[in-house]
Amino acid sequence: MASTTRQTTAAAARKRAAAKPAVSGDLDFEPIRIAADDEVVEERVPLFYIGDTEYTIPKQIPRGVALKYLRNASEVGHELATAPLLIRVLGEDAYTALEESRAMTGPQLEQIVDIIIKQALGAQETEGKARRG
């Protein structure tokens, strides 16, 4: 049932996008159409476990999250911008679980942070280098 709803929503979004006329004028590009947030399904994957409790992150971290992290990093530095990124990606419950964990080691925390930053920025950095290079 959910699959049918998703397909119907996606089809409706394509029709709306197709119905909108292209921009006329001397532009050498077409406007970029970004789906509405309610049309995006977020798939989550496990990142870590505390005991038997699974904590997940989005499989595809939204690019807006990366942009916010980069803005914060430019204003306050990467170290201070990391906590809001973790909270946004992990969610309050998972972040609190990490805060309260007495068993987590420094290398484990570093690995969690590195994975989240790489997932948020990694593809973006690679794509940017390929386009500039």
Side-chain angles (χ1 to χ4, degrees), residues 61-62 64-70 72 78 80-91 95 113 115-121:
I61 295 174
V65 173
L67 291 173
K68 184 165 185 154
Y69 170 71
L70 292 172
N72 287 344
H78 289 285
L80 294 177
T82 300
L85 173 67
L86 295 178
I87 293 167
R88 171 60 179 84
V89 172
L90 292 171
Y95 188 83
V113 171
I115 289 169
I116 290 173
I117 290 174
K118 182 180 179 193
Q119 289 298 109
L121 300 177

Side-chain angles (χ1 to χ4, degrees), residues 4 7-9 16-19 25 29-31 33 49 55 64 70 74 83 96 101 106 118 123-124 126-127 131:
T4 304
Q7 290 171 348
T8 304
T9 304
R16 284 193 305 270
F29 66 91
E30 288 293 320
R33 302 216 183 268
Y49 293 83
Y55 295 94
L70 292 172
S74 72
T96 300
S101 173
K118 182 180 179 193
Q124 188 175 358
T126 303
E127 290 169 7
R131 277 187 236 162

Side-chain angles (χ1 to χ4, degrees), residues 21-32:
V23 174
S24 61
D26 296 331
L27 299 177
D28 60 349
F29 66 91
E30 288 293 320
I32 298 166

Side-chain angles (χ1 to χ4, degrees), residues 5-124:
T5 304
R6 244 182 268 138
Q7 290 171 348
T8 304
T9 304
R14 284 192 296 276
K15 286 180 186 175
R16 284 193 305 270
K20 295 178 183 174
V23 174
S24 61
D26 296 331
L27 299 177
D28 60 349
F29 66 91
E30 288 293 320
I32 298 166
R33 302 216 183 268
I34 300 171
D37 287 345
D38 62 348
E39 297 171 1
V40 178
V41 177
E42 183 180 83
E43 182 180 350
R44 296 185 71 87
V45 295
L47 176 63
F48 64 92
Y49 293 83
I50 297 179
D52 290 331
T53 304
E54 176 183 88
Y55 295 94
T56 64
I57 62 171
K59 185 173 183 179
Q60 298 290 328
I61 295 174
R63 293 296 169 224
V65 173
L67 291 173
K68 184 165 185 154
Y69 170 71
L70 292 172
R71 177 184 293 197
N72 287 344
S74 72
E75 294 171 355
V76 298
H78 289 285
E79 292 78 16
L80 294 177
T82 300
L85 173 67
L86 295 178
I87 293 167
R88 171 60 179 84
V89 172
L90 292 171
E92 287 287 342
D93 291 342
Y95 188 83
T96 300
L98 287 176
E99 279 183 330
E100 294 175 355
S101 173
R102 292 178 300 170
M104 180 178 54
T105 66
Q108 288 171 327
L109 176 59
E110 187 174 316
Q111 187 176 11
I112 290 168
V113 171
D114 288 347
I115 289 169
I116 290 173
I117 290 174
K118 182 180 179 193
Q119 289 298 109
L121 300 177
Q124 188 175 358

